[in-house]
Amino acid sequence: MPSPPSHPYYPLDANIVGYEPNQTPVLELLVSAGGACTILLSVTFVLASYVKPTLRMADRIAILWFVLSGTLHCFFEGYFMVHHNHMASAQDLFGQLWKEYALADSRYMTSDTLVLCMETMTVVLWGPLCFVVAYLTAIRHSLRHPIQVIVCMSHLYGDTLYYATSLFDEYVHGQPYSRPEPYYFWLYYFFMNFIWIVVPAYYLYRSISTISAALKQAEKDKTK
């Protein structure tokens, strides 16, 4: 009889050294993460409203989005970048959250080259630029939209590559990274990442429309 797998991740023969089950229940982990995000967004909204009370609601919501994205990129994904080779035994909040998410994508437990390089770029480049966009939005700077285009395109490209490589390995090479339960694939893998396609696509559209309108107005002013 073959010995039972030493971890719950797929593929079952993935080399995950030192795995220890999470000590905190899943619901408690999700509530802790949700609570932290709620506090972050609440403080950001209050500060933005206090510092710039004339900001439009749409701009305040944009600031919330880019601050949340920047925080997740720099700190949560930054945790993975630093601890990727020994997360299997982690019992702190970020470590347990990553182990829970990795049930939908075990590449985060095996220091997969593509995932590690992609996350490193996200931490070093796109996370800080999210904070830059939030700041430029708050002060109504003209550079907001050009930089917002760059950040949104990086999210769309990164998410597309992330989906494509995982699904290619599963359907072409027969190597799944997600557990077979639909919950992990559709909620963790698909939905949580799809948010970073839908929202950046919206802000990309808004920036392109704003830049296009500004250029058209500039051309009209030249012909006067």
Side-chain angles (χ1 to χ4, degrees), residues 93-110:
L93 177 61
F94 280 2
Q96 291 189 83
L97 284 171
W98 273 119
K99 286 198 291 181
E100 178 65 19
Y101 176 77
L103 293 170
D105 189 349
S106 66
R107 293 180 294 178
Y108 283 92
M109 288 289 108
T110 59

Side-chain angles (χ1 to χ4, degrees), residues 1 52 64 90 109 115-116 156 160 167 180 191:
M1 292 291 292
K52 287 286 185 179
L64 294 181
M109 288 289 108
V115 170
L116 180 58
L156 293 175
T160 301
L167 295 176
F191 176 73

Side-chain angles (χ1 to χ4, degrees), residues 84-221:
H84 64 92
N85 59 349
H86 55 270
M87 287 202 309
S89 61
Q91 296 298 339
D92 53 83
L93 177 61
F94 280 2
Q96 291 189 83
L97 284 171
W98 273 119
K99 286 198 291 181
E100 178 65 19
Y101 176 77
L103 293 170
D105 189 349
S106 66
R107 293 180 294 178
Y108 283 92
M109 288 289 108
T110 59
S111 298
D112 177 81
T113 301
L114 181 137
V115 170
L116 180 58
C117 292
M118 183 178 65
E119 293 291 5
T120 299
M121 289 184 64
T122 300
V123 172
V124 174
L125 296 176
W126 315 132
L129 278 180
C130 283
F131 290 121
V132 171
V133 173
Y135 173 73
L136 295 176
T137 302
I139 65 173
R140 296 175 177 172
H141 198 283
S142 59
L143 282 176
R144 171 206 171 170
H145 289 290
I147 297 179
Q148 186 167 289
V149 166
I150 295 172
V151 173
C152 291
M153 283 299 300
S154 73
H155 283 125
L156 293 175
Y157 176 77
D159 250 18
T160 301
L161 186 64
Y162 175 72
Y163 279 142
T165 53
S166 175
L167 295 176
F168 185 87
D169 276 348
E170 178 169 0
Y171 292 108
V172 176
H173 295 154
Q175 176 132 327
Y177 298 116
S178 176
R179 288 192 57 83
E181 296 87 348
Y183 169 86
Y184 294 111
F185 179 86
W186 290 108
L187 180 60
Y188 287 7
Y189 175 81
F190 178 78
F191 176 73
M192 288 185 176
N193 290 288
F194 194 62
I195 294 171
W196 268 265
I197 288 182
V198 174
V199 180
Y202 168 77
Y203 283 115
L204 177 63
Y205 168 78
R206 296 296 303 167
S207 289
I208 291 175
S209 299
T210 300
I211 293 171
S212 177
L215 291 174
K216 287 179 181 177
Q217 186 60 48
E219 288 297 324
K220 287 182 180 179
D221 292 341

Side-chain angles (χ1 to χ4, degrees), residues 38-48 64:
T38 300
I39 293 172
L40 172 69
L41 294 176
S42 299
V43 171
T44 301
F45 186 85
V46 170
L47 284 176
L64 294 181

Side-chain angles (χ1 to χ4, degrees), residues 3-16 106 175-180:
S3 59
S6 59
H7 58 75
Y9 302 104
Y10 270 62
L12 295 175
D13 60 352
N15 184 26
I16 300 175
S106 66
Q175 176 132 327
Y177 298 116
S178 176
R179 288 192 57 83

